[in-house]
């Protein structure tokens, strides 16, 4: 029997019996824990599994490890850094050690850089942590985790989302990738931003914003007229090609759909963008080129924003070492491609690729527009001439980030649903496995036409919790009747508003580590993850210096 025939026969046995075949081929792999996703959560989880003496395989669709943490988001959303413990804190300690080396400062002196961070100093010498960093420095830390722990990582391996998950009696037995590889395990962790394994395993999830009455919340659902950041149109700007003339049609990038009633649910997602790493060193910048398919008319709305006097172009060119930035969305018309990601979570791989290409074209076109179009104020164009893509970052991808910022995709409806009540401190959280502290943070979900014919954005929220809050173990777990050996530390069980705070990279690392500890203990105890004795998990996490409630701050 040839190799393909053997594989087909093996997969048939899996499908028919619910049991993995005994297969010694090169396309069948076994481990105690299978982690799908090479994100920061996935690598933290793999390290913890190894620390607990179990075997682990990381199956990563991506070539580059670390997700957003190595994909441009170097101006870390820390919130209260005192509640970041365990392997997450170790990651930021390793970043600190990197920048203690003189060799790390190639384009800028350490003294020139300063110490600006997001709500905290970039470099905390007393705690030996650093919270702001270049993409390549972060990726090297993840690669160091891999090499030091002898982790086996299978890259460019994509889950067969149609028929690649084999279950038996409520447990995942094995997963198969599009290349034909089969990965058999006792426990599985979905560490992807999209929740593809969770969905393929038949676990319940939600996409979009729940209505406020689903969980008795305030900040969920449609939020027309709510402006908690500066990402809205502060002036009356016509939505039409010919100002004031509806018959001329809408300008590009504006939806013709009504926004909906406040507090109602919808399937809209907060916008995605790429966190570009820009450089202003003349020897380390690549000028913004005109992308193929560029159409300057799609940025007419931004031209009108400038004409109205807006002057905050460079507000979120947040400094990272070596004269670089983590460049994020800012203002009413910026790098967020509003309303163009709704189909992304459920889209096929090919459809997702097309969505990503549209995001790239929009964002590259925006940068070219800012640098060259005469409708942009001269002072902005002159400043843009000092910037370009960092030549020494993302060198195998045209200096463009390899990971789009998937701010929200699927969210599990699991064993315990975190809501704004827990995040804002109004409800006690059972069985904590980590903490969060960032604000309820959602970017805009739509751009629409007002009754007066003007353009406006909707969906941007920023509500600060009074204190850091605990995150329940149950938020990592599917309902027991749906799957007994899967943990989900990224697309966690939470409402849209709660996820707006939880969705930060340090928290994903925290939850990845806690999920891995739970998976390992569940193997030892031979129990479903939902039946694990929490006191056992708590003891392990405390030993790992995980912070789980305010009394446990570092």
């Amino acid at each position: 029997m040839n190799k393909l025939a053997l594989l087909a026969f093996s997969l048939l046995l899996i499908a028919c019996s619910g049991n993995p075949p005994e297969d010694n081929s090169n396309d069948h792999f076994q481990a105690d824990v299978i982690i799908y996703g090479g994100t920061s959560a996935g690598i933290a989880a793999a390290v913890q599994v190894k620390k607990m003496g179990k075997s682990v395989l990381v199956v990563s669709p991506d070539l580059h490890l670390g997700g957003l943490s190595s994909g441009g988001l170097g101006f870390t959303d820390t919130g209260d850094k005192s509640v970041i413990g365990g392997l997450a804190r170790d990651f930021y300690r390793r970043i600190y050690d990197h920048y203690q080396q003189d060799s790390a400062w190639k384009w800028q002196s350490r003294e020139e850089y300063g110490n600006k961070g997001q709500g905290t100093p970039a470099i905390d010498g007393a705690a030996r942590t650093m919270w702001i960093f270049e993409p390549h420095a972060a990726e090297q830390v993840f690669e160091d985790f891999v090499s030091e722990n002898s982790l086996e990582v299978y890259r460019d391996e994509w889950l067969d989302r149609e028929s690649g998950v084999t279950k038996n009696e409520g447990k995942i037995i094995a997963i198969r990738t599009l290349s034909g590889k089969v990965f058999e395990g006792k426990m599985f962790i979905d560490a992807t931003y999209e929740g593809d394994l969770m969905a393929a395993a038949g676990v319940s999830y939600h996409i979009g914003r729940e209505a406020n009455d689903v969980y008795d919340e305030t900040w969920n659902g449609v939020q027309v007229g709510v402006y908690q950041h500066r990402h809205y149109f502060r002036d009356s700007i016509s939505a039409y090609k010919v100002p004031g003339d509806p018959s001329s049609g809408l300008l590009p990038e504006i939806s013709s759909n009504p926004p909906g009633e406040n507090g109602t649910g919808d399937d809209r997602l907060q916008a995605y963008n790429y966190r570009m790493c820009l450089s202003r060193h003349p020897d380390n910048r690549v000028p913004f080129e005109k992308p193929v398919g560029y159409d300057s008319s799609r940025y007419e709305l931004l031209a009108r924003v400038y004409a109205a006097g807006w002057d905050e172009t460079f507000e979120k060119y947040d400094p990272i070492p070596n004269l670089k930035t983590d460049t994020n969305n800012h203002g009413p018309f910026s790098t967020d491609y509003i309303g163009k990601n709704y189909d992304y979570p459920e889209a096929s791989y090919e459809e997702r690729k097309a969505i990503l290409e549209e995001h790239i074209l929009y964002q590259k076109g925006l940068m070219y527009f800012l640098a060259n179009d005469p409708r942009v104020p001269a002072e902005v164009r002159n400043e843009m001439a000092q910037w370009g893509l960092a030549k020494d970052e993302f060198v195998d991808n045209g200096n463009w980030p390899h990971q789009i910022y998937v701010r929200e995709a699927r969210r599990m409806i699991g064993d315990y649903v975190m809501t704004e009540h827990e995040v804002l401190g109004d409800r006690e959280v059972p069985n904590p496995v980590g903490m969060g502290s960032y604000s309820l943070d959602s970017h805009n979900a739509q751009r629409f036409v007002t009754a007066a014919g003007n353009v406006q954005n909707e969906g941007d929220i920023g509500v600060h919790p009074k204190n850091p809050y605990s995150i329940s173990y149950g938020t990592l777990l599917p309902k027991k009747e749906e799957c007994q050996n899967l943990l989900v530390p990224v697309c966690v069980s939470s409402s849209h508003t709660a996820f707006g705070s939880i969705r930060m990279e340090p928290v994903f690392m925290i939850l990845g580590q806690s999920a891995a500890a739970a998976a390992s203990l569940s193997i030892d105890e031979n129990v479903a993850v939902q039946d694990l004795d929490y006191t056992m998990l708590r003891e392990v996490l405390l030993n790992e210096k995980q912070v789980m409630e305010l009394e446990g701050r570092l």
Side-chain angles (χ1 to χ4, degrees), residues 14 48 73 89 116 124 153 160 228 236 238 315 356 414 427 441 444 451 463 467 494 496 499 508 523:
I14 294 176
Q48 182 62 32
L73 205 168
R89 180 160 285 259
K116 178 187 176 184
D124 186 343
V153 181
D160 179 347
Q228 295 177 337
S236 296
S238 177
E315 181 77 15
L356 297 182
R427 184 179 295 161
D441 185 57
N444 282 305
V463 180
N467 294 297
S494 63
H496 161 71
F499 192 74
F508 287 156
I523 293 172

Side-chain angles (χ1 to χ4, degrees), residues 354-367:
I355 292 170
L356 297 182
E357 288 174 348
E358 279 299 307
H359 277 73
I360 293 170
L361 174 59
Y362 165 79
Q363 199 164 329
K364 285 186 174 180
L366 172 65
M367 301 311 290

